Amino acid sequence: AINYNGQDTQIVELSIGTPPFANTKSVQFNNNDYLIGNAGVLQSTLGRAGNGSGLSDAWSISFFFKAGTATNASQTIFYYGAQDVANGNYIQVKYVGTASTGKKIEFRYGSNNNRITLTTAANSLTVGQWHHVLVTYNGGTTGASSGQINDYYSRFKIFIDGSQATTTNSNNNFGTTMALTGQNLRVGRFNNGQSLRNNSKIDELAVFNDDVSSEISNIYNGGVPVDLMNLSTQPEHWWRMGDGDSFPYLFDVGFQANCILVMQNMTSADIVNDTPQ
C-alpha cells in the first residue's frame, strides 16, 4: 500500500478490564464425599487461645446450600477443630434432614462434652432449593456458668436467606471455655462420618475474620451470589466451589488466598452447573 501524502503515526491503546463476576458452578456431595484443607491456615481466623476474648476472636461462615433428599439427622456442611471431638473444641454446621422435625440447620460450638448448640426451626430449609446461610460469632465468652448461659447463646447468630433465624438453644455443661485449635478442616464431613448425602450442594463458601452480621443484606443479595471482595469486610478465605477451579483442587480467592480445598472420593463430575440464581 502506498500513502502518497506521507507517513502518519497513531497510538493504539488497549484497555483490559476485569471480567464481570459470574457464578456458574457448585460442588455436589454424596455419601463419603468431602473436601479437606489445611486447618492450620485458618487458625488465626477460626481458632482462639481460651474463652472468647472479644472482637479479636470473632468470625463468620457464609455459604449457599441446597439440601439433598437424605433424611439423616447429622449431615455435616462445615467442620473445623479438634479430631478428638469428645474433649477438644470444634465448629460444626450441619443439616438435619429428618422428615418430621428436620429440614433445618444445627450449629455446635465446643466439644461433645462441653458445648453450645443452636438449631433453627423445622422446615427452615426446603429440599431441592438453594438457601443462603450465615453463621456469626462475636468473639465473646462461651462458658461455663449456668447463670450466664443466655449470654453464651447470644454470641452466635444464624441467618437464613438474609434474615436472622429463630433458634432453639441447648448446652452441655454450660458451654465451653477451652481454646480452639484447628486440627481438621472439612466440608461435607465430620471427623469420621456424618457426611452430606444424596446430591446436596454447596456454593460460594467463605470465612470472615469478623462478625459480619451487619453485612448480611449485601452478602445475601436477594439470593444472587456477589463478588465478596467488594464488601467493606472481605473474607479471609473464599472458595467459589467450581468457578475458576481445577479438579480436584478448589482454590481460595479470599484476602489471604492460601488454603486450597481438595476433593476426596469425588470426580470432576461433582463440579456441577447448578447454582443460586
Side-chain angles (χ1 to χ4, degrees):
I2 300 174
N3 181 358
Y4 292 102
N5 296 313
Q7 296 182 346
D8 190 18
T9 301
Q10 299 289 336
I11 297 175
V12 178
E13 294 184 357
L14 299 178
S15 178
I16 301 175
T18 302
F21 178 81
N23 179 43
T24 64
K25 307 289 185 182
S26 67
V27 173
Q28 173 177 272
F29 295 80
N30 287 292
N31 191 25
N32 295 323
D33 293 347
Y34 66 103
L35 314 177
I36 189 169
N38 182 348
V41 172
L42 271 68
Q43 181 64 32
S44 61
T45 302
L46 296 178
R48 70 180 195 183
N51 204 354
S53 59
L55 186 60
S56 62
D57 283 331
W59 50 254
S60 300
I61 301 168
S62 170
F63 56 89
F64 284 89
F65 177 68
K66 188 175 186 178
T69 57
T71 58
N72 303 71
S74 295
Q75 299 181 58
T76 301
I77 299 171
F78 184 90
Y79 155 58
Y80 177 85
Q83 172 65 26
D84 178 5
V85 294
N87 301 294
N89 276 1
Y90 61 85
I91 296 165
Q92 184 187 24
V93 184
K94 66 179 181 176
Y95 169 63
V96 180
T98 48
S100 58
T101 60
K103 313 298 186 291
K104 58 191 178 183
I105 293 291
E106 181 178 311
F107 166 74
R108 293 184 175 187
Y109 188 85
S111 67
N112 290 354
N113 295 325
N114 302 275
R115 70 169 182 256
I116 296 290
T117 303
L118 278 68
T119 308
T120 65
N123 300 313
S124 49
L125 300 183
T126 300
V127 173
Q129 178 176 316
W130 282 103
H131 293 277
H132 180 263
V133 178
L134 175 71
V135 181
T136 66
Y137 169 47
N138 69 9
T141 54
T142 58
S145 168
S146 60
Q148 298 182 51
I149 191 63
N150 288 326
D151 291 337
Y152 305 150
Y153 294 143
S154 73
R155 312 305 188 203
F156 304 96
K157 296 177 183 177
I158 301 175
F159 296 83
I160 296 179
D161 293 339
S163 298
Q164 186 174 348
T166 300
T167 59
T168 300
N169 305 328
S170 60
N171 69 88
N172 285 34
N173 294 322
F174 312 116
T176 178
T177 62
M178 293 191 300
L180 194 154
T181 301
Q183 295 177 320
N184 287 329
L185 168 61
R186 293 179 182 167
V187 179
R189 180 182 174 89
F190 197 37
N191 64 331
N192 289 312
Q194 299 187 23
S195 301
L196 283 177
R197 300 168 184 264
N198 292 26
N199 299 324
S200 293
K201 299 174 180 68
I202 299 174
D203 196 14
E204 306 302 328
L205 172 63
V207 176
F208 298 79
N209 192 27
D210 202 351
D211 177 350
V212 295
S213 299
S214 62
E215 291 263 30
I216 182 57
S217 61
N218 294 325
I219 296 171
Y220 173 54
N221 191 43
V224 179
V226 297
D227 187 342
L228 299 179
M229 300 308 288
N230 289 334
L231 298 174
S232 59
T233 302
Q234 297 177 332
E236 297 296 297
H237 307 279
W238 177 22
W239 300 275
R240 299 294 319 279
M241 306 300 278
D243 288 286
D245 295 319
S246 179
F247 176 83
Y249 304 111
L250 304 178
F251 300 113
D252 180 357
V253 297
F255 180 75
Q256 291 192 4
N258 59 355
C259 184
I260 296 173
L261 296 179
V262 184
M263 302 170 73
Q264 306 290 309
N265 305 323
M266 307 175 82
T267 71
S268 59
D270 290 309
I271 298 176
V272 298
N273 297 315
D274 185 348
T275 62
Q277 302 297 324

